[in-house]
Amino acid sequence: GEDTEYIRFDKFDDKTAFIFHDLIINSPKNIIIDLRRNTGGYESSLLRMLGYFIGKNKYVGYVETYLKKEKEFTSANKSFDGKKNVAILISSATSSSAEIFSSEMRSNFDAKIFGDRSSGQVLQSKKFTLPDGGVVQLPVGIFYDSRGNKIEGNGINSDQDDRYQESKDQLLISATDWIKSRDNIKLF
């Protein structure tokens, strides 16, 4: 509807974070974020984009390496003013930063998630340059969300498991129906 914004992006990068900011600030009170083809991206972009919703310096989770807590993550940026209804679409292709975003939006912003369970691929990695100039990227840590849940190997479950249909996008229809049902709820 006219009061609902549909946003799809396939990676978390600086350009996406910049565009996302303008869309969120100027969007109506209902937003559907499609992460079904999103394979992750930059940690800094993820934390900025989460910040638009949950506020600055909110605990997002931590990375564990060699059985010790190594690095904690907090959101960046000031959140916008006003409450919005947010529905997030995920699939088995949704991975990495997109899984963290989905998990934290559900926990900290009361977003609803629609789709198949995500891929469960949330390892922090590091790139190493080889002597011949090639590059290898290796996992160095496991991410745990703000509730202490390990997403790696488990994925994110949806709040409503709708299977895809060839002629219609059932997830989008379900998310839109959910948002319409919330129009009668007073938002603070």
Side-chain angles (χ1 to χ4, degrees), residues 55-70:
K56 191 172 186 170
N57 296 323
K58 301 288 185 190
Y59 179 67
V60 172
Y62 67 94
V63 169
E64 182 179 273
T65 58
Y66 306 110
L67 303 178
K68 67 177 185 171
K69 193 181 212 180
E70 180 149 313

Side-chain angles (χ1 to χ4, degrees), residues 98-122:
E99 291 178 283
I100 296 169
F101 182 86
S102 300
S103 175
E104 294 310 310
M105 286 293 290
R106 176 172 32 208
S107 296
N108 295 307
F109 196 77
D110 196 29
K112 188 161 182 175
I113 299 175
F114 295 83
D116 296 330
R117 187 178 65 186
S118 66
S119 67
Q121 298 179 40
V122 185

Side-chain angles (χ1 to χ4, degrees), residues 155-169:
I156 301 297
N157 290 317
S158 70
D159 297 312
Q160 181 172 336
D161 187 21
D162 290 318
R163 300 292 173 193
Y164 297 99
Q165 294 180 5
E166 286 186 37
S167 62
K168 293 183 181 178
D169 189 337

Side-chain angles (χ1 to χ4, degrees), residues 9 11-14 16-17 20 35 38 40-54 60-61 73-77 95-105 122 143:
F9 58 98
K11 62 183 174 179
F12 285 82
D13 61 19
D14 292 335
T16 303
F20 192 73
L35 301 177
N38 192 306
Y42 299 130
E43 168 190 309
S44 60
S45 297
L46 161 69
L47 297 175
R48 280 199 325 262
M49 292 165 82
L50 273 173
Y52 299 144
F53 291 98
I54 67 174
V60 172
F73 294 92
T74 57
S75 58
N77 291 330
S95 58
S96 192
S97 295
E99 291 178 283
I100 296 169
F101 182 86
S102 300
S103 175
E104 294 310 310
M105 286 293 290
V122 185
F143 181 84

